[in-house]
């Protein structure tokens, strides 16, 4: 069985990390898998770069320009929307011809256009599409943030100037997407049960097969380590309880920094003695910008690309917190739990599927910074730390290990190949 995973990037962003881990998991379980990307960042032989880097860059810039025009030259939502009006035809590539199944991942920002996707479907090869967000089930957006227009047909898009109109860009792209799928079928795999439920309610995906499989994690890389030893190697204090927050860009509004600031300041405000005993570790770009907002010591580590170093950062923490306002099944919670770190997050998206409330962490009420503070206090001062840690590791081993996830995908592949053979 030969699988071609198609993703815009090899390792930048959560979807790229998940795709690369799936590639490794499949190859470790007897499947011949390759990954086709626009942005190749390593020398892995199993990862192939799209040819003609100039054209790749031009496609990205052209789509952004078109969106920029539709946004009336505002950058506000420029990277929150994708119209897929330009991309690369991959059907003539050797890797495509050799593959038995085409597995799409996050293919936006000039990687594949809607016409390209239609051509892939017309090739007759089975197509599996892993949904890392809502874009395959909506018109333009990756995050619906409470909008339910996709359940009947996108229009009057809130992201567009003046909240769009009945025949705005979202309505036009919706019709193009519907035409791509017309008379064709593919298998959509959401990364969480929450996203599966949302996708099934999309009018765009009616008649398509939608299921869910979580992203895999390498439990040999992300595993518990000696906390004091890794803290010493990272220059972190040995005598404090450390809260960890991780994001590619920590100032991203959707990551909920406002609520983390409120929760941490409430935590030390109600119990002043905790201020000397607690610290916040921030891993991600622009980390130094938010440090002055907190009434407790902040250790800004900046952006780190070395996964081994990232695993050590997780292992150094006493609790991991992710107050995101919208999430699918975040890799960061999975990674922290694999390192034996209990987690605290809001009840949104797939987070309650990962965190078992009061068993391996705490699920706080949505947008409730007070409850977020209670969750942090519970983990740091009230719960049995070693028991929480063991429960977190066990949850990852049983649900998110590479072997467990790979076997579920292999089952999907066998089914779609069997369905394809029966139609011939």
């Amino acid at each position: 069985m030969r699988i071609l995973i198609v993703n815009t990037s090899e390792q930048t962003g959560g979807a790229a990390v998940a795709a690369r881990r799936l590639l490794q998991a499949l190859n470790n379980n007897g499947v011949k898998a390759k990954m086709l990307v626009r942005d190749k960042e390593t020398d892995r032989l199993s990862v192939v770069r799209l040819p003609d880097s100039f054209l790749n860059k031009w496609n990205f810039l052209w789509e952004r320009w078109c969106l920029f025009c539709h946004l009336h030259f505002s950058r506000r939502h420029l990277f929150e929307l994708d119209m897929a009006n330009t991309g690369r035809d991959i059907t003539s590539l050797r890797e495509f011809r050799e593959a038995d199944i085409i597995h799409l991942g996050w293919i936006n920002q000039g990687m594949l256009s809607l016409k390209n996707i239609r051509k892939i479907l017309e090739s007759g090869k089975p197509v599996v599409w892993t949904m890392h967000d809502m874009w395959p089930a909506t018109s333009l957006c990756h995050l619906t943030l409470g909008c339910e227009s996709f359940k009947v047909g996108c229009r009057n898009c809130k992201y567009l100037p003046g909240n769009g109109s009945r025949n705005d860009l979202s309505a036009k792209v919706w019709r193009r997407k519907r035409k791509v799928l017309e008379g064709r079928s593919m298998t959509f795999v959401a990364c969480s049960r929450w996203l599966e439920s949302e996708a099934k309610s999309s009018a765009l995906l009616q008649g398509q097969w939608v299921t869910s499989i979580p992203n895999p994690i390498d439990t040999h890389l992300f595993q518990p380590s000696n906390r004091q030893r890794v803290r010493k190697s990272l220059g972190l204090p040995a005598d404090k309880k450390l809260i960890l927050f991780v994001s590619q860009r920590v100032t991203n509004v959707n990551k909920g920094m406002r609520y983390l600031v409120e929760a941490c300041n409430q935590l030390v405000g109600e119990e002043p003695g905790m201020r000397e005993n607690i610290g916040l570790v921030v891993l991600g770009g622009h980390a130094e910008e938010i440090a002055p907002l907190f009434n407790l010591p902040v250790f800004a580590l900046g952006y780190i690309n070395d996964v081994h170093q990232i695993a050590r950062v997780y292992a150094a923490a006493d609790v991991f917190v992710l107050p995101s306002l919208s999430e699918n099944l975040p890799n960061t919670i999975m990674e922290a739990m694999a390192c034996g770190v209990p987690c605290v997050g809001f009840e949104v998206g797939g987070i309650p599927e990962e965190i078992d409330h009061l068993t391996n962490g705490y699920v706080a009420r949505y947008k409730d910074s007070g409850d977020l503070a209670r969750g942090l206090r519970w983990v740091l001062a009230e719960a049995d730390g070693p028991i929480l840690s063991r429960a977190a590791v066990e949850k990852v081993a049983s649900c998110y290990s590479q072997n467990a996830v790979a076997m579920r995908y292999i089952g999907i592949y066998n089914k779609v190949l069997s369905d394809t053979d029966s139609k011939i």
Side-chain angles (χ1 to χ4, degrees):
M1 185 189 301
R2 292 181 173 86
I3 309 298
L4 181 63
I5 299 173
V6 184
N7 203 77
T8 301
S9 174
E10 179 184 3
Q11 60 182 23
T12 300
V17 171
R20 194 180 69 249
R21 288 175 180 171
L22 178 60
L23 174 73
Q24 182 181 3
L26 292 173
N27 283 321
N28 289 343
N29 282 274
V31 175
K32 295 179 180 179
K34 287 186 177 181
M35 187 170 167
L36 177 66
V37 301
R38 184 193 68 192
D39 304 327
K40 181 173 166 63
E41 296 147 292
T42 72
D43 57 359
R44 290 186 182 90
L45 296 177
S46 56
V47 179
V48 181
R49 187 201 307 268
L50 270 178
D52 195 344
S53 58
F54 174 79
L55 186 56
N56 295 335
K57 186 175 182 180
W58 169 255
N59 285 339
F60 166 75
L61 292 174
W62 177 246
E63 186 193 26
R64 290 309 101 186
W65 172 253
C66 293
L67 278 169
F68 193 43
C69 293
H70 282 285
L71 291 171
H72 294 181
F73 307 104
S74 167
R75 293 175 55 87
R76 184 180 178 193
H77 299 303
L78 186 57
F79 291 94
E80 298 172 48
L81 308 176
D82 280 287
M83 57 192 295
N85 63 326
T86 184
R88 298 296 302 275
D89 179 5
I90 67 172
T91 58
S92 61
L93 299 179
R94 177 172 58 85
E95 290 78 16
F96 183 91
R97 296 195 306 268
E98 292 177 348
D100 298 307
I101 294 174
I102 307 304
H103 189 143
L104 305 182
W106 199 89
I107 45 77
N108 299 110
Q109 296 190 357
M111 178 69 183
L112 295 180
S113 69
L114 296 180
K115 288 182 179 178
N116 298 149
I117 296 172
R118 177 71 180 189
K119 193 166 183 179
I120 291 170
L121 290 169
E122 289 173 344
S123 73
K125 291 181 182 287
V127 179
V128 175
W129 193 342
T130 292
M131 295 180 60
H132 296 283
D133 54 42
M134 280 295 291
W135 189 82
T138 69
S139 174
L140 297 170
C141 70
H142 296 269
L143 302 176
T144 55
L145 298 178
C147 175
E148 296 189 345
S149 293
F150 68 94
K151 294 183 178 180
V152 291
C154 290
R155 60 187 182 186
N156 301 316
C157 181
K158 65 181 181 180
Y159 287 100
L160 298 175
N163 291 326
S165 66
R166 291 179 63 85
N167 193 36
D168 61 8
L169 180 64
S170 69
K172 293 173 182 175
V173 174
W174 177 274
R175 290 194 293 269
R176 293 170 196 160
K177 280 190 171 183
R178 190 170 56 190
K179 189 174 181 180
V180 167
L181 292 173
E182 194 172 30
R184 302 287 177 181
S185 63
M186 70 173 86
T187 300
F188 291 87
V189 182
C191 296
S192 67
R193 293 190 296 273
W194 165 80
L195 187 58
E196 176 190 2
S197 176
E198 290 291 287
K200 284 181 174 177
S201 68
S202 169
L204 194 64
L205 302 189
Q206 294 307 301
Q208 304 292 335
W209 183 32
V210 182
T211 186
S212 61
I213 300 176
N215 294 326
I217 187 171
D218 184 350
T219 51
H220 298 292
L221 172 61
F222 294 95
Q223 59 178 323
S225 299
N226 183 285
R227 183 172 293 162
Q228 294 306 316
R229 189 180 302 135
V230 294
R231 285 189 180 185
K232 184 177 181 180
S233 70
L234 294 167
L236 295 173
D239 59 345
K240 292 183 183 293
K241 296 276 190 178
L242 294 182
I243 303 167
L244 174 63
F245 173 81
V246 176
S247 176
Q248 186 174 352
R249 180 169 57 87
V250 303
T251 53
N252 182 341
V253 174
N254 287 325
K255 294 301 178 182
M257 179 56 66
R258 164 195 161 189
Y259 297 93
L260 181 58
V261 171
E262 292 176 356
C264 287
N265 290 345
Q266 178 178 326
L267 186 65
V268 297
E270 293 176 350
E271 300 180 42
M274 296 186 76
R275 181 171 182 172
E276 302 302 319
N277 301 319
I278 293 177
L280 174 68
V281 179
V282 181
L283 177 61
H286 305 277
E288 68 287 345
E289 295 178 17
I290 53 89
L293 302 176
F294 291 89
N295 296 329
L296 76 170
V298 176
F299 305 93
L301 301 183
Y303 182 78
I304 297 176
N305 204 28
D306 183 343
V307 291
H308 294 89
Q309 186 79 335
I310 292 171
R312 286 191 286 272
V313 174
Y314 282 118
D318 294 282
V319 60
F320 175 76
V321 60
L322 186 65
S324 291
L325 307 185
S326 178
E327 282 288 356
N328 183 7
L329 199 74
N331 291 327
T332 50
I333 287 180
M334 204 180 296
E335 292 164 353
M337 290 174 65
C339 293
V341 182
C343 298
V344 177
F346 284 140
E347 188 177 9
V348 64
I351 288 178
E353 298 172 34
E354 293 179 291
I355 302 174
D356 299 314
H357 187 55
L358 302 183
T359 298
N360 52 40
Y362 190 99
V363 180
R365 290 188 295 272
Y366 187 55
K367 291 187 177 181
D368 188 334
S369 54
D371 202 26
L372 195 69
R374 280 188 286 275
L376 292 171
R377 183 186 299 107
W378 181 79
V379 173
L380 293 172
E382 301 172 15
D384 188 313
I387 291 178
L388 284 183
S389 180
R390 285 195 297 272
V393 172
E394 290 168 1
K395 174 68 177 284
V396 171
S398 62
C399 298
Y400 309 128
S401 69
Q402 286 189 339
N403 183 66
V405 173
M407 295 312 295
R408 292 182 65 180
Y409 266 110
I410 290 170
I412 295 285
Y413 297 151
N414 285 328
K415 182 181 185 305
V416 297
L417 284 174
S418 175
D419 290 347
T420 301
D421 290 342
S422 66
K423 293 177 183 177
I424 299 176

